[in-house]
Amino acid sequence: MSEKRIGNYLLPLGIEIFERGWLSANNIFLFGEDDVSLVDSGYCTHQQMTVDLVSNALKRHNLSGLNKLVNTHLHSDHCGGNAALSKEFDCNIWIPEAEVSAVQDWDEDLLSFAQLGQDCPRFTHCDQLVAGKEINLGPYRWQILAAPGHDNHSIMLYQEQHQILISADALWEEGFGVIFPELWGEGGFEGVAQTLELIEELPVALVIPGHGKPFTDVKKSIATAKSRLDYLSGDADRNARHGAKVLLKYKLLEWRSKEMSAVKSWIAGTPLLQSIRKQMNLCSEDFEDWLMQALVKSKAAAIESDRLMNLD
């Protein structure tokens, strides 16, 4: 198979990118003589699609199986397919070292799924990703880099020879993921800044983000991300409002359409949204109305026949 061109960059052999969208994170399929690996596994409602994508890639390249599944971080859109992939391929799951005890105990207070009103089937891990060390993925050796900010336990993967960065949600072409640690009360603005500085110091020719298409104009994307960080960090409520809108939009991507009463029940039962509501000093009814209308105003949703409808 010939190399794929991304802009002026030729993607090396042994790397395929399954670009998924926003409900499921991108998957990176890496294959060589001694190892076949996948980075991130998407959301649970797409788990069969993820299994099919991997199965088709294995057949296409005449490979016997999947050895490793690596999670950049444990948000549900990046690890929701773990259980299904493990069952189908008996692959070893690698997770960031800071998440080991939470996964071993399946601690709902430490894992984010319940806090965010999302789902993730339980899985078990086999090994851990330690920042500063390296890992073999497919035919290449990758550096494991700490990437605090969006998630303070997140890692990125860097391939020095080909100058490829798998950035997860630490850097997108036009921004980065919600700064959740700020919403937990742990602090995340400084972590985002540190991670962007780290990326700036690396010679990077291609970024494969957690969402969106791979890109090569890294300097432009970092400038955009820094501007976004300045905007969000300038007002704690602004970051909170942004986080609330993203959470509801994400759930709406899963639902596609939902009765207004069910949407309100979900908002009321999602702990992080209730924390944001209290920060905004709104009663439940006012917060629910504000949040749904905020999506309508931004043309991310519509209200029809007492249902909240997703708009792409």
Side-chain angles (χ1 to χ4, degrees), residues 161-264:
Q161 177 188 358
H162 295 288
Q163 298 184 354
I164 301 171
L165 180 71
I166 297 175
S167 64
D169 293 340
L171 180 67
W172 301 335
E173 188 169 22
E174 296 186 359
F176 43 75
V178 173
I179 308 173
F180 283 112
E182 284 290 331
L183 306 180
W184 310 139
E186 297 175 0
F189 295 139
E190 184 177 347
V192 173
Q194 291 173 352
T195 299
L196 293 176
E197 288 172 4
L198 171 61
I199 297 171
E200 267 189 311
E201 293 170 359
L202 296 171
V204 177
L206 177 72
V207 174
I208 306 174
H211 302 271
K213 66 181 186 295
F215 57 92
T216 57
D217 194 342
V218 185
K219 184 176 180 180
K220 179 181 178 181
S221 293
I222 289 177
T224 299
K226 285 185 172 181
S227 176
R228 182 69 176 162
L229 177 60
D230 287 343
Y231 172 77
L232 292 172
S233 62
D235 182 345
D237 282 351
R238 184 181 292 154
N239 183 63
R241 291 192 297 270
H242 170 65
K245 289 184 284 187
V246 168
L247 281 180
L248 180 54
K249 174 63 177 180
Y250 184 81
K251 197 66 179 179
L252 195 53
L253 287 172
E254 178 185 351
W255 289 330
R256 307 305 299 175
S257 169
K258 202 73 170 176
E259 300 90 346
M260 297 280 281
S261 59
V263 175
K264 291 180 178 181

Side-chain angles (χ1 to χ4, degrees), residues 114-125:
Q115 277 282 329
L116 302 180
Q118 298 166 5
D119 299 310
C120 182
R122 185 168 183 170
F123 60 86
T124 57
H125 80 287

Side-chain angles (χ1 to χ4, degrees), residues 9 12 16 36 52 106 116 170 198 201:
Y9 185 89
E16 286 192 19
V36 179
D52 291 344
W106 206 249
L116 302 180
L198 171 61
E201 293 170 359

